[in-house]
Amino acid sequence: MKLVKNTSGRFVFQLTPREQRLFVEVLELYPLIPDGTRKLTKQRGQATLDESQELLDEALAEQRVSNQRHLAKFLADPHRVHTMKSYTRLTLAASDMEFLLQVLNDIRVGSWILLGSPDCQTEKRLEVTQKNARYFWARELAGAFQSLLIAAMNLVQ
Amino acid sequence: MDYVTHVFQTVFGWSRQKAEQHMMQVHKQGKSVLIRESFEKAEHYVHQIHRYALNATMERDE
């Protein structure tokens, strides 16, 4: 997947058929961050903070539903994709790039959580099994696509 | 790491240099104090960062 053109805030990427398939497959995993893992504060026991945590949970749940709808539309939109003989051209607006970065980070972080939150600086080592191998794959791919989008945005700045 | 820099720039409106400094602090020390604000504003920023699927918490400044 490479950036081939950027004009007036529209990014045109070229993907091989395999890259296109992987891009769609990884996006279809959204959402992966488990409910209740995102905390407003580490402090506990104050009514105000508990209410604020509920607000955060509600806001993130709404965002998740909205993102799922948006992603379904995005993946079904035939105008974004122009298929040639040996490659596909994908056109993204700047707002699409921001949206995809959020979705890909959810997949990357969610995969890491589902892999047991491995940390190379502690004893929590990554153990890939048949059961969790798909999350290892998802984490790596989401990170790779995320880096490509960021690199394309940085080229423009 | 570039993503974290990007989110800091977007959420706080920081320069790339400032965003990178905080990103490096997170990378090396596991956390960074991003901003000192009123409860409501801090809550707003925590919400924004969580929307980008990054982790952020707010604590009372003693």
Side-chain angles (χ1 to χ4, degrees):
Chain A
M1 180 171 170
K2 62 180 179 185
L3 179 70
V4 289
K5 199 164 62 175
N6 173 271
T7 42
S8 321
R10 297 192 83 79
F11 297 80
V12 181
F13 291 93
Q14 185 170 302
L15 297 91
T16 64
R18 186 158 187 261
E19 286 170 338
Q20 187 190 0
R21 184 172 56 80
L22 291 172
F23 189 57
V24 171
E25 278 182 26
V26 79
L27 288 176
E28 283 175 344
L29 292 174
Y30 179 84
L32 279 188
I33 293 183
D35 284 336
T37 53
R38 300 199 265 184
K39 300 295 176 204
L40 182 82
T41 178
K42 290 173 186 163
Q43 294 172 334
R44 277 281 160 265
Q46 292 176 44
T48 325
L49 292 175
D50 290 342
E51 283 168 22
S52 297
Q53 179 64 50
E54 278 177 34
L55 278 177
L56 175 65
D57 291 339
E58 282 171 21
L60 293 174
E62 280 173 22
Q63 185 206 16
R64 176 180 291 203
V65 171
S66 161
N67 280 356
Q68 278 176 301
R69 282 197 199 117
H70 190 94
L71 186 61
K73 272 188 193 168
F74 174 86
L75 292 173
D77 185 353
H79 302 297
R80 289 179 190 283
V81 177
H82 187 63
T83 305
M84 314 294 271
K85 237 182 180 179
S86 58
Y87 60 86
T88 296
R89 287 218 163 153
L90 172 70
T91 304
L92 300 172
S95 57
D96 297 325
M97 300 279 274
E98 284 291 333
F99 169 71
L100 288 172
L101 283 175
Q102 289 183 16
V103 166
L104 287 167
N105 208 53
D106 181 289
I107 295 162
R108 192 179 62 80
V109 174
S111 302
W112 174 76
I113 292 169
L114 293 165
L115 283 166
S117 314
D119 184 348
C120 59
Q121 291 181 344
T122 66
E123 292 300 307
K124 267 188 145 182
R125 292 193 179 171
L126 170 65
E127 284 182 32
V128 181
T129 63
Q130 229 173 3
K131 201 175 167 187
N132 70 13
R134 65 192 294 252
Y135 299 124
F136 178 74
W137 169 87
R139 189 189 68 170
E140 297 301 304
L141 268 185
F145 283 122
Q146 210 177 24
S147 296
L148 283 164
L149 297 185
I150 294 258
M153 289 169 97
N154 287 343
L155 274 179
V156 176
Q157 286 172 358
Chain B
M1 295 196 322
D2 283 346
Y3 177 71
V4 177
T5 304
H6 172 75
V7 173
F8 288 170
Q9 283 185 277
T10 307
V11 171
F12 299 109
W14 289 344
S15 66
R16 185 170 182 86
Q17 189 187 13
K18 184 174 181 182
E20 275 178 347
Q21 280 170 0
H22 282 277
M23 179 274 291
M24 285 310 293
Q25 207 172 9
V26 173
H27 182 63
K28 288 179 179 169
Q29 297 167 30
K31 62 183 176 182
S32 175
V33 176
L34 299 176
I35 208 154
R36 285 186 169 84
E37 270 296 354
S38 63
F39 184 94
E40 286 77 15
K41 282 190 179 171
E43 190 179 22
H44 166 76
Y45 284 125
V46 171
H47 277 230
Q48 290 301 305
I49 291 177
H50 278 287
R51 289 178 75 87
Y52 280 89
L54 289 180
N55 194 24
T57 56
M58 54 188 263
E59 313 300 333
R60 187 179 296 280
D61 198 358
E62 299 295 343

Tab-separated table of all heavy atoms in Angstrom, chain A residues 77-111:
chain	number	residue	atom	x	y	z
A	77	ASP	N	-18.812	1.455	0.285
A	77	ASP	CA	-18.864	2.563	-0.677
A	77	ASP	C	-18.047	2.242	-1.946
A	77	ASP	O	-16.816	2.181	-1.887
A	77	ASP	CB	-18.313	3.828	0.006
A	77	ASP	CG	-18.436	5.056	-0.884
A	77	ASP	OD1	-18.820	4.908	-2.062
A	77	ASP	OD2	-18.133	6.150	-0.392
A	78	PRO	N	-18.714	2.049	-3.076
A	78	PRO	CA	-17.981	1.673	-4.291
A	78	PRO	C	-17.167	2.821	-4.897
A	78	PRO	O	-16.255	2.591	-5.689
A	78	PRO	CB	-19.096	1.242	-5.248
A	78	PRO	CG	-20.294	2.000	-4.792
A	78	PRO	CD	-20.151	2.197	-3.317
A	79	HIS	N	-17.496	4.062	-4.517
A	79	HIS	CA	-16.811	5.207	-5.132
A	79	HIS	C	-15.397	5.434	-4.605
A	79	HIS	O	-14.614	6.163	-5.192
A	79	HIS	CB	-17.643	6.480	-4.944
A	79	HIS	CG	-19.003	6.344	-5.529
A	79	HIS	ND1	-19.222	6.158	-6.873
A	79	HIS	CD2	-20.226	6.324	-4.942
A	79	HIS	CE1	-20.523	6.050	-7.095
A	79	HIS	NE2	-21.158	6.139	-5.943
A	80	ARG	N	-15.096	4.825	-3.458
A	80	ARG	CA	-13.760	5.013	-2.887
A	80	ARG	C	-12.723	4.159	-3.607
A	80	ARG	O	-11.550	4.453	-3.588
A	80	ARG	CB	-13.745	4.563	-1.428
A	80	ARG	CG	-14.482	5.452	-0.544
A	80	ARG	CD	-14.433	4.934	0.867
A	80	ARG	NE	-15.356	5.685	1.674
A	80	ARG	CZ	-15.108	6.898	2.109
A	80	ARG	NH1	-13.968	7.469	1.839
A	80	ARG	NH2	-16.001	7.554	2.816
A	81	VAL	N	-13.190	3.063	-4.167
A	81	VAL	CA	-12.267	2.077	-4.711
A	81	VAL	C	-12.359	2.030	-6.229
A	81	VAL	O	-13.449	1.977	-6.801
A	81	VAL	CB	-12.604	0.681	-4.123
A	81	VAL	CG1	-11.715	-0.383	-4.724
A	81	VAL	CG2	-12.451	0.699	-2.614
A	82	HIS	N	-11.196	2.099	-6.862
A	82	HIS	CA	-11.142	2.015	-8.316
A	82	HIS	C	-10.226	0.830	-8.639
A	82	HIS	O	-9.018	0.895	-8.425
A	82	HIS	CB	-10.584	3.323	-8.877
A	82	HIS	CG	-10.627	3.411	-10.354
A	82	HIS	ND1	-11.798	3.394	-11.075
A	82	HIS	CD2	-9.628	3.526	-11.249
A	82	HIS	CE1	-11.500	3.488	-12.364
A	82	HIS	NE2	-10.196	3.565	-12.503
A	83	THR	N	-10.816	-0.234	-9.118
A	83	THR	CA	-10.022	-1.448	-9.330
A	83	THR	C	-9.473	-1.509	-10.748
A	83	THR	O	-10.220	-1.395	-11.722
A	83	THR	CB	-10.868	-2.704	-9.031
A	83	THR	OG1	-11.383	-2.571	-7.708
A	83	THR	CG2	-10.026	-3.966	-9.107
A	84	MET	N	-8.151	-1.671	-10.847
A	84	MET	CA	-7.481	-1.819	-12.138
A	84	MET	C	-7.139	-3.306	-12.299
A	84	MET	O	-7.564	-4.130	-11.500
A	84	MET	CB	-6.201	-0.971	-12.171
A	84	MET	CG	-6.366	0.437	-11.642
A	84	MET	SD	-7.448	1.463	-12.632
A	84	MET	CE	-6.279	2.128	-13.785
A	85	LYS	N	-6.327	-3.588	-13.309
A	85	LYS	CA	-6.007	-4.990	-13.581
A	85	LYS	C	-5.246	-5.663	-12.429
A	85	LYS	O	-5.634	-6.711	-11.937
A	85	LYS	CB	-5.161	-5.077	-14.859
A	85	LYS	CG	-5.803	-5.965	-15.916
A	85	LYS	CD	-4.901	-6.045	-17.124
A	85	LYS	CE	-5.546	-6.936	-18.180
A	85	LYS	NZ	-4.711	-7.025	-19.375
A	86	SER	N	-4.175	-5.006	-11.986
A	86	SER	CA	-3.330	-5.660	-10.982
A	86	SER	C	-3.285	-4.910	-9.649
A	86	SER	O	-2.557	-5.309	-8.749
A	86	SER	CB	-1.914	-5.812	-11.529
A	86	SER	OG	-1.419	-4.541	-11.868
A	87	TYR	N	-4.034	-3.831	-9.536
A	87	TYR	CA	-4.034	-3.101	-8.265
A	87	TYR	C	-5.343	-2.334	-8.104
A	87	TYR	O	-6.150	-2.238	-9.034
A	87	TYR	CB	-2.835	-2.142	-8.178
A	87	TYR	CG	-2.790	-1.084	-9.248
A	87	TYR	CD1	-3.484	0.108	-9.085
A	87	TYR	CD2	-2.052	-1.273	-10.406
A	87	TYR	CE1	-3.445	1.092	-10.065
A	87	TYR	CE2	-2.009	-0.304	-11.391
A	87	TYR	CZ	-2.707	0.878	-11.212
A	87	TYR	OH	-2.688	1.838	-12.185
A	88	THR	N	-5.504	-1.795	-6.900
A	88	THR	CA	-6.695	-1.019	-6.580
A	88	THR	C	-6.266	0.357	-6.106
A	88	THR	O	-5.248	0.485	-5.429
A	88	THR	CB	-7.480	-1.728	-5.456
A	88	THR	OG1	-7.931	-2.977	-5.940
A	88	THR	CG2	-8.670	-0.924	-4.991
A	89	ARG	N	-7.052	1.353	-6.472
A	89	ARG	CA	-6.784	2.698	-5.954
A	89	ARG	C	-7.874	3.056	-4.949
A	89	ARG	O	-9.060	2.914	-5.246
A	89	ARG	CB	-6.748	3.710	-7.093
A	89	ARG	CG	-5.477	3.551	-7.902
A	89	ARG	CD	-4.911	4.849	-8.342
A	89	ARG	NE	-3.518	4.639	-8.747
A	89	ARG	CZ	-2.890	5.387	-9.627
A	89	ARG	NH1	-3.502	6.393	-10.179
A	89	ARG	NH2	-1.635	5.147	-9.939
A	90	LEU	N	-7.423	3.477	-3.779
A	90	LEU	CA	-8.341	3.817	-2.697
A	90	LEU	C	-8.205	5.305	-2.417
A	90	LEU	O	-7.113	5.798	-2.162
A	90	LEU	CB	-7.971	3.009	-1.441
A	90	LEU	CG	-8.682	3.353	-0.146
A	90	LEU	CD1	-10.149	2.925	-0.206
A	90	LEU	CD2	-7.995	2.658	1.037
A	91	THR	N	-9.331	6.039	-2.465
A	91	THR	CA	-9.301	7.479	-2.232
A	91	THR	C	-9.870	7.792	-0.850
A	91	THR	O	-10.969	7.354	-0.509
A	91	THR	CB	-10.123	8.213	-3.314
A	91	THR	OG1	-9.601	7.838	-4.587
A	91	THR	CG2	-10.044	9.715	-3.157
A	92	LEU	N	-9.087	8.535	-0.068
A	92	LEU	CA	-9.496	8.889	1.292
A	92	LEU	C	-9.430	10.391	1.505
A	92	LEU	O	-8.436	11.029	1.132
A	92	LEU	CB	-8.575	8.218	2.313
A	92	LEU	CG	-8.512	6.687	2.321
A	92	LEU	CD1	-7.408	6.217	3.271
A	92	LEU	CD2	-9.846	6.088	2.729
A	93	ALA	N	-10.470	10.948	2.136
A	93	ALA	CA	-10.438	12.360	2.534
A	93	ALA	C	-9.677	12.441	3.857
A	93	ALA	O	-9.481	11.419	4.529
A	93	ALA	CB	-11.858	12.864	2.703
A	94	ALA	N	-9.283	13.656	4.244
A	94	ALA	CA	-8.546	13.823	5.504
A	94	ALA	C	-9.377	13.300	6.674
A	94	ALA	O	-8.836	12.682	7.610
A	94	ALA	CB	-8.193	15.293	5.700
A	95	SER	N	-10.699	13.518	6.635
A	95	SER	CA	-11.560	13.034	7.729
A	95	SER	C	-11.593	11.497	7.764
A	95	SER	O	-11.690	10.890	8.833
A	95	SER	CB	-12.976	13.596	7.592
A	95	SER	OG	-13.503	13.233	6.332
A	96	ASP	N	-11.508	10.851	6.591
A	96	ASP	CA	-11.447	9.380	6.541
A	96	ASP	C	-10.166	8.887	7.214
A	96	ASP	O	-10.163	7.865	7.899
A	96	ASP	CB	-11.426	8.856	5.090
A	96	ASP	CG	-12.686	9.199	4.330
A	96	ASP	OD1	-13.758	9.209	4.955
A	96	ASP	OD2	-12.591	9.447	3.115
A	97	MET	N	-9.083	9.625	6.976
A	97	MET	CA	-7.792	9.227	7.540
A	97	MET	C	-7.873	9.254	9.070
A	97	MET	O	-7.448	8.316	9.737
A	97	MET	CB	-6.685	10.176	7.072
A	97	MET	CG	-6.502	10.232	5.572
A	97	MET	SD	-5.523	8.882	4.940
A	97	MET	CE	-3.875	9.527	5.152
A	98	GLU	N	-8.446	10.328	9.628
A	98	GLU	CA	-8.594	10.436	11.082
A	98	GLU	C	-9.461	9.303	11.618
A	98	GLU	O	-9.143	8.687	12.634
A	98	GLU	CB	-9.243	11.778	11.461
A	98	GLU	CG	-8.329	12.966	11.379
A	98	GLU	CD	-7.226	12.956	12.451
A	98	GLU	OE1	-7.413	12.366	13.526
A	98	GLU	OE2	-6.161	13.528	12.178
A	99	PHE	N	-10.560	9.046	10.928
A	99	PHE	CA	-11.478	7.994	11.341
A	99	PHE	C	-10.773	6.627	11.326
A	99	PHE	O	-10.842	5.863	12.294
A	99	PHE	CB	-12.704	7.989	10.419
A	99	PHE	CG	-13.587	6.797	10.587
A	99	PHE	CD1	-14.360	6.651	11.725
A	99	PHE	CD2	-13.639	5.806	9.617
A	99	PHE	CE1	-15.166	5.536	11.901
A	99	PHE	CE2	-14.436	4.689	9.788
A	99	PHE	CZ	-15.200	4.559	10.927
A	100	LEU	N	-10.064	6.350	10.244
A	100	LEU	CA	-9.386	5.052	10.123
A	100	LEU	C	-8.273	4.893	11.164
A	100	LEU	O	-8.048	3.795	11.680
A	100	LEU	CB	-8.820	4.872	8.712
A	100	LEU	CG	-9.868	4.622	7.630
A	100	LEU	CD1	-9.228	4.657	6.244
A	100	LEU	CD2	-10.577	3.280	7.836
A	101	LEU	N	-7.594	5.999	11.490
A	101	LEU	CA	-6.556	5.932	12.521
A	101	LEU	C	-7.153	5.520	13.870
A	101	LEU	O	-6.588	4.710	14.596
A	101	LEU	CB	-5.845	7.287	12.658
A	101	LEU	CG	-4.830	7.628	11.573
A	101	LEU	CD1	-4.307	9.047	11.762
A	101	LEU	CD2	-3.669	6.642	11.596
A	102	GLN	N	-8.322	6.088	14.193
A	102	GLN	CA	-8.986	5.733	15.454
A	102	GLN	C	-9.400	4.260	15.452
A	102	GLN	O	-9.189	3.541	16.430
A	102	GLN	CB	-10.234	6.594	15.659
A	102	GLN	CG	-9.927	8.031	15.985
A	102	GLN	CD	-11.186	8.853	16.247
A	102	GLN	OE1	-12.259	8.316	16.478
A	102	GLN	NE2	-11.038	10.166	16.206
A	103	VAL	N	-9.983	3.825	14.359
A	103	VAL	CA	-10.456	2.439	14.244
A	103	VAL	C	-9.265	1.469	14.322
A	103	VAL	O	-9.292	0.480	15.060
A	103	VAL	CB	-11.244	2.260	12.925
A	103	VAL	CG1	-11.449	0.794	12.593
A	103	VAL	CG2	-12.589	2.972	13.017
A	104	LEU	N	-8.208	1.782	13.580
A	104	LEU	CA	-7.030	0.905	13.576
A	104	LEU	C	-6.365	0.852	14.948
A	104	LEU	O	-5.867	-0.191	15.364
A	104	LEU	CB	-6.023	1.365	12.512
A	104	LEU	CG	-6.424	1.090	11.066
A	104	LEU	CD1	-5.530	1.860	10.095
A	104	LEU	CD2	-6.353	-0.406	10.739
A	105	ASN	N	-6.390	1.990	15.667
A	105	ASN	CA	-5.768	1.955	16.997
A	105	ASN	C	-6.586	1.129	17.971
A	105	ASN	O	-6.041	0.463	18.840
A	105	ASN	CB	-5.540	3.367	17.548
A	105	ASN	CG	-4.369	3.384	18.502
A	105	ASN	OD1	-3.281	2.929	18.159
A	105	ASN	ND2	-4.587	3.846	19.726
A	106	ASP	N	-7.912	1.181	17.819
A	106	ASP	CA	-8.765	0.316	18.647
A	106	ASP	C	-8.417	-1.152	18.386
A	106	ASP	O	-8.297	-1.957	19.321
A	106	ASP	CB	-10.242	0.590	18.324
A	106	ASP	CG	-11.178	-0.255	19.171
A	106	ASP	OD1	-11.231	-1.483	18.942
A	106	ASP	OD2	-11.848	0.297	20.061
A	107	ILE	N	-8.223	-1.484	17.138
A	107	ILE	CA	-7.908	-2.874	16.781
A	107	ILE	C	-6.523	-3.262	17.313
A	107	ILE	O	-6.338	-4.349	17.865
A	107	ILE	CB	-7.991	-3.072	15.245
A	107	ILE	CG1	-9.439	-2.858	14.788
A	107	ILE	CG2	-7.488	-4.453	14.829
A	107	ILE	CD1	-9.591	-2.605	13.307
A	108	ARG	N	-5.574	-2.341	17.175
A	108	ARG	CA	-4.202	-2.623	17.629
A	108	ARG	C	-4.160	-2.792	19.160
A	108	ARG	O	-3.630	-3.778	19.671
A	108	ARG	CB	-3.273	-1.471	17.205
A	108	ARG	CG	-1.804	-1.749	17.349
A	108	ARG	CD	-0.981	-0.562	16.880
A	108	ARG	NE	-1.245	0.635	17.682
A	108	ARG	CZ	-0.716	0.866	18.875
A	108	ARG	NH1	0.133	0.004	19.391
A	108	ARG	NH2	-1.016	1.964	19.550
A	109	VAL	N	-4.755	-1.829	19.874
A	109	VAL	CA	-4.734	-1.884	21.343
A	109	VAL	C	-5.605	-3.039	21.855
A	109	VAL	O	-5.225	-3.763	22.773
A	109	VAL	CB	-5.201	-0.524	21.943
A	109	VAL	CG1	-5.337	-0.614	23.453
A	109	VAL	CG2	-4.226	0.579	21.571
A	110	GLY	N	-6.773	-3.209	21.236
A	110	GLY	CA	-7.658	-4.302	21.634
A	110	GLY	C	-6.994	-5.660	21.451
A	110	GLY	O	-7.116	-6.547	22.300
A	111	SER	N	-6.264	-5.823	20.370
A	111	SER	CA	-5.553	-7.085	20.125
A	111	SER	C	-4.499	-7.325	21.201
A	111	SER	O	-4.354	-8.434	21.707
A	111	SER	CB	-4.833	-7.054	18.777
A	111	SER	OG	-5.731	-6.824	17.756
